[in-house]
Amino acid sequence: EETESKKSVKLSDVDYLFIDEIAMCPTRMLAKLQNELQNCNNTNLTLLSTGDVNQQRVCDVDITTNSYVEDIINSIFNQGIMLNVNKRFKNPQDRINIKDIKNTLLTNNDRKSYLKYVKQFSDINDLFNIVFTGDVFNAKIISYLNSTCEFVNNIIHNVFLKKNKKIKFKSVYDFKLYVGLELTVCERIPIKPRVLNRNEVVKIVKIQDDSVIVEAVDNRDEFDLNEEPEQFNIVLNKFMNQNKFFKYSYCDTSMSTQGDTYENIPVVVFDTQESLMQPSSIYTSIGRATSLDLVYVFTGNSVKDESADFNLNRLLQSRIKSYQTADIDANRLYKKNDYIDEQWIYDEVCKNPTC
């Protein structure tokens, strides 16, 4: 449990220790846990944990089999329960099919046969018909690569704003922000009234000249929903670069979504053709849905090149905009035509490819 000061406590001072997703822990962390437990004299301590070694894992060594991690975990726990029914999927046939998907991907390393159980699309433009219901975004998109995540987040956000022209947004460095927009925290931010943690979701409640006020989404105690949401005052420079402190929430990486459940909405999976995306990551991403009928896998050409061009273009736009803003702040008045644009930069680079 946590003290009022939110400082860590010793194992000798607690009665229960619960660890979620223990299979994701690096081996050095498992070794440290094992050592702490062996040296702990607390006979009243009850240790509980959940995890699945077949899901994707953050690891500090090259482990080609799950048995190594299983052996470590089994040495820490002397009792365990194996859950064989995937209760995320309501349809009994889906529960049978997800087992076949698991076997196909993890045992046979077959990255094609599982596709018969899900829906596929190869044209990136079809994505918008899947994730939008009218002008409402109603889906979860999962990628493996951060570059894909950023690319998809931006194209979805731009389409959303086109569909909702009445929304008044403000361009803040790398973002187009509006009141009500939800953002995902990408890096731990020490701030009052408390630290904002990675993968936490916040919603914009006010955009000011020098800061943005956000509130935490669904952070209230389930027994006291009348409690006011916590609000945070974020300075504008936290929005200079996407994926640094914040990102749009339409798409997240497979690692960030592990453990989540997306009830009755489409779950769209990207990057399955990338060799970096392991079969365990594909299996984990598909398993976030509640029905295989709602799983869509992008099978077209990799968006890696498109995302690279898109991100470079957006970076150039952002830099030019920052120079324009600096000139205005310094009372250096120029006409719009006096500034270069991203096309001018491209043209100059083509003239001097070695520069």
Side-chain angles (χ1 to χ4, degrees):
E1 65 187 45
E2 217 171 38
T3 62
E4 288 186 6
S5 63
K6 298 187 181 297
K7 293 182 179 179
S8 60
V9 294
K10 296 180 179 179
L11 288 180
S12 57
D13 298 329
V14 299
D15 295 324
Y16 294 91
L17 174 63
F18 181 78
I19 305 171
D20 192 22
E21 300 288 2
I22 192 171
M24 287 187 68
C25 295
T27 51
R28 64 182 183 277
M29 187 180 296
L30 292 174
K32 183 177 181 180
L33 172 63
Q34 186 178 47
N35 185 61
E36 291 286 339
L37 291 170
Q38 288 173 346
N39 296 323
C40 176
N41 296 319
N42 185 357
T43 57
N44 295 320
L45 176 64
T46 298
L47 178 62
L48 302 170
S49 182
T50 62
D52 181 359
V53 294
N54 290 310
Q55 295 195 40
Q56 58 192 340
R57 185 169 59 245
V58 178
C59 199
D60 56 333
V61 294
D62 183 18
I63 296 175
T64 56
T65 65
N66 291 326
S67 59
Y68 182 76
V69 177
E70 272 188 292
D71 289 344
I72 298 176
I73 295 173
N74 290 337
S75 69
I76 299 174
F77 299 88
N78 55 14
Q79 295 182 28
I81 300 173
M82 177 67 74
L83 303 177
N84 291 312
V85 178
N86 189 323
K87 291 192 174 181
R88 275 196 181 92
F89 292 100
K90 312 303 180 186
N91 187 323
Q93 187 60 49
D94 279 351
R95 294 177 179 176
I96 295 173
N97 292 344
I98 193 64
K99 286 185 178 180
D100 193 43
I101 290 173
K102 177 180 178 180
N103 182 64
T104 297
L105 285 167
L106 305 186
T107 303
N108 301 333
N109 197 25
D110 180 352
R111 302 171 73 105
K112 292 183 178 180
S113 297
Y114 79 93
L115 291 169
K116 65 185 178 183
Y117 295 116
V118 301
K119 296 179 180 177
Q120 307 169 48
F121 69 104
S122 58
D123 187 338
I124 192 68
N125 292 306
D126 291 336
L127 174 65
F128 310 122
N129 294 326
I130 296 170
V131 301
F132 281 101
T133 303
D135 58 2
V136 177
F137 178 82
N138 185 43
K140 188 62 189 182
I141 306 172
I142 302 175
S143 71
Y144 184 79
L145 301 174
N146 279 317
S147 58
T148 302
C149 183
E150 185 174 354
F151 171 68
V152 171
N153 270 329
N154 277 282
I155 62 173
I156 292 293
H157 192 59
N158 288 336
V159 170
F160 176 83
L161 291 176
K162 287 181 180 179
K163 287 176 173 287
N164 294 270
K165 294 181 179 179
K166 292 183 179 180
I167 290 179
K168 296 181 179 180
F169 67 86
K170 180 178 180 179
S171 294
V172 179
Y173 293 110
D174 229 6
F175 290 82
K176 295 177 182 177
L177 306 178
Y178 62 86
V179 172
L181 174 66
E182 292 188 355
L183 300 170
T184 300
V185 180
C186 298
E187 183 175 310
R188 186 176 182 271
I189 305 175
I191 193 173
K192 293 182 179 181
R194 64 168 176 82
V195 169
L196 279 173
N197 292 303
R198 192 170 183 268
N199 292 329
E200 196 168 348
V201 178
V202 297
K203 181 169 67 175
I204 296 176
V205 295
K206 189 175 183 180
I207 302 174
Q208 305 178 128
D209 291 337
D210 57 352
S211 65
V212 176
I213 298 177
V214 303
E215 66 180 24
V217 174
D218 293 335
N219 71 309
R220 292 169 290 174
D221 191 310
E222 61 181 281
F223 299 109
D224 188 13
L225 292 178
N226 292 322
E227 177 186 355
E228 288 294 322
E230 294 172 301
Q231 293 194 346
F232 306 84
N233 193 30
I234 311 295
V235 294
L236 292 186
N237 63 13
K238 297 293 186 188
F239 299 94
M240 288 187 69
N241 298 297
Q242 289 186 36
N243 283 355
K244 174 61 176 175
F245 293 103
F246 295 99
K247 66 180 179 182
Y248 298 125
S249 296
Y250 311 104
C251 178
D252 283 307
T253 63
S254 55
M255 194 63 70
S256 297
T257 56
Q258 180 154 312
D260 291 342
T261 300
Y262 302 110
E263 292 274 358
N264 303 320
I265 61 171
V267 173
V268 185
V269 184
F270 276 83
D271 293 332
T272 59
Q273 74 275 43
E274 298 290 341
S275 58
L276 288 173
M277 189 172 192
Q278 297 298 311
S280 58
S281 296
I282 300 174
Y283 164 64
T284 302
S285 299
I286 292 173
R288 302 309 95 204
T290 55
S291 169
L292 289 177
D293 285 337
L294 292 172
V295 177
Y296 295 79
V297 174
F298 178 71
T299 57
N301 294 329
S302 172
V303 299
K304 189 187 300 182
D305 293 336
E306 289 185 66
S307 63
D309 290 341
F310 179 85
N311 290 332
L312 175 60
N313 190 56
R314 192 169 45 75
L315 176 64
L316 294 176
Q317 290 176 342
S318 176
R319 292 293 182 267
I320 294 169
K321 181 68 174 178
S322 67
Y323 291 135
Q324 292 173 335
T325 302
D327 286 339
I328 293 173
D329 291 342
N331 202 31
R332 296 189 293 264
L333 302 180
Y334 295 96
K335 296 179 180 179
K336 185 176 180 179
N337 293 337
D338 292 335
Y339 289 98
I340 62 174
D341 57 20
E342 60 274 11
Q343 188 59 51
W344 182 90
I345 297 175
Y346 279 126
D347 292 340
E348 292 302 308
V349 169
C350 290
K351 292 177 185 177
N352 304 279
T354 58
C355 92

